[in-house]
Amino acid sequence: MNPVIVVGVDGSAAATAAVEWAADDAARAAARLLIVHAVDRSPYETARFPALGLGDAVTLSAESVLADAEAVARKRQPGIDVTSELSQGAAAAVLRGQAGDAAEVVIGGRGLSGLPGAMLGSVSTHVAGHARGPVVVVRSDPDTSHGEIVVGLDDYHACEPALAYAFEQAMLRASTLRAVYTWQLPNHAHISETIHDLDQIHADQCQIAAGILKGWRQQYPQVAVVEDIRRAHPVDALVSASEKADLVVVGSQGRGAIGTVMLGSVTLGVLYHARNSVAVVRP
């Protein structure tokens, strides 16, 4: 069975960009595209007056949102298999539930409920923080191509799912993969940098990064890889690299119970500040 890419829609411009992104990914991966719109009736219900007679209007509006999204997907990629689904419940919970069987979940950076000026909506934050597998938060023009995928490296096994996704994306897109690995000196203000051999430290970090990538290079020999080793904070380095990237891929090591904690500070920082789309890949 072909893999399934799920895209959440709400009728916003951000959701339309997400549909276009997901349709392109479905075409590249020979995947089925499932467009999902969630209807949360709880704001319209009371114990004595369920839905206050708004059920038909809400359903009609939801069906219109799905029909418009399907039209966008079919126009974008006429050859893909597209279906749609109207689900009941809060959008974040619905999309989180869909993630278990999906190759990836795609959402806009900020939907209709987002605050003006906000870089990331609450639904995007929740889904990226809790859903298993890749979650792509689209915030770039799908028609703009830089020919480069960026992935953040660390020396923990937690980055392996992100690397698998990043290499696969780079292969499908015939793009260069920029692997960003950062290092920093210990934050001891009373110790001068002059006592450190910065060149040797940098060389050691390059060896670590090369070791992380060695097996993946062998598995994906067709992917051109740039090892980008920087002395910088990882959020600063990844945000800087995002300016000329079609996608930034990060793992997530957060283990807390709250959505933002689940993401980890680096992942959350990249999500909020990256210039282009971001994929968060949780195991």
Side-chain angles (χ1 to χ4, degrees), residues 40-66:
D40 186 3
R41 299 178 186 275
S42 58
Y44 310 110
E45 294 180 343
T46 67
R48 294 181 61 189
F49 304 104
L52 295 177
L54 296 176
D56 290 342
V58 171
T59 300
L60 287 173
S61 176
E63 291 174 346
S64 176
V65 167
L66 286 174

Side-chain angles (χ1 to χ4, degrees), residues 197-280:
D197 186 341
L198 298 182
D199 290 339
Q200 183 59 53
I201 292 173
H202 187 82
D204 292 342
Q205 301 305 312
C206 289
Q207 288 187 351
I208 292 172
I212 296 171
L213 292 167
K214 182 178 179 180
W216 295 102
R217 281 180 175 271
Q218 295 171 348
Q219 187 174 344
Y220 291 87
Q222 67 275 57
V223 175
V225 179
V226 175
E227 296 180 13
D228 189 346
I229 318 302
R230 307 186 187 191
R231 182 187 172 190
H233 189 280
V235 173
D236 294 336
L238 289 167
V239 169
S240 175
S242 74
E243 293 185 6
K244 296 183 179 180
D246 298 317
L247 180 67
V248 178
V249 183
V250 289
S252 179
Q253 298 181 46
R255 296 177 178 84
I258 303 174
T260 54
V261 177
M262 289 293 287
L263 285 171
S265 59
V266 171
T267 305
L268 192 63
V270 174
L271 267 175
Y272 270 98
H273 298 292
R275 302 292 188 266
N276 285 303
S277 300
V278 177
V280 177

Side-chain angles (χ1 to χ4, degrees), residues 42 58 62 70 123 156 166 186 209 221 271 279 282:
S42 58
V58 171
E70 277 199 52
V123 173
Y156 296 95
L271 267 175
R282 300 184 68 239

Side-chain angles (χ1 to χ4, degrees), residues 27 30 35 44 50 77 114 117 128 132 185-186 196 198 248 270:
I35 302 172
Y44 310 110
Q77 294 290 344
R132 295 179 180 179
L185 291 176
H196 297 285
L198 298 182
V248 178
V270 174

Side-chain angles (χ1 to χ4, degrees), residues 73-177:
R74 295 184 191 281
K75 180 179 180 181
R76 181 79 179 185
Q77 294 290 344
I80 63 174
D81 181 3
V82 182
T83 56
S84 61
E85 180 177 304
L86 178 58
S87 298
Q88 303 291 330
V94 168
L95 291 172
R96 179 181 175 182
Q98 291 279 0
D101 298 323
E104 68 184 20
V105 174
V106 182
I107 47 181
R110 182 169 59 87
L112 291 177
S113 60
L115 296 175
M119 291 296 292
L120 193 66
S122 59
V123 173
S124 306
T125 305
H126 180 95
V127 178
H130 289 277
R132 295 179 180 179
V135 175
V136 180
V137 179
V138 177
R139 60 156 55 103
S140 53
D141 182 356
D143 292 321
T144 301
S145 176
H146 299 281
E148 185 168 282
I149 304 294
V150 169
V151 62
L153 297 183
D154 60 38
D155 52 359
Y156 296 95
H157 292 299
C159 76
E160 290 185 357
L163 280 169
Y165 181 82
F167 268 92
E168 189 72 12
Q169 282 285 320
M171 182 190 70
L172 292 173
R173 297 164 178 264
S175 294
T176 297
L177 180 65

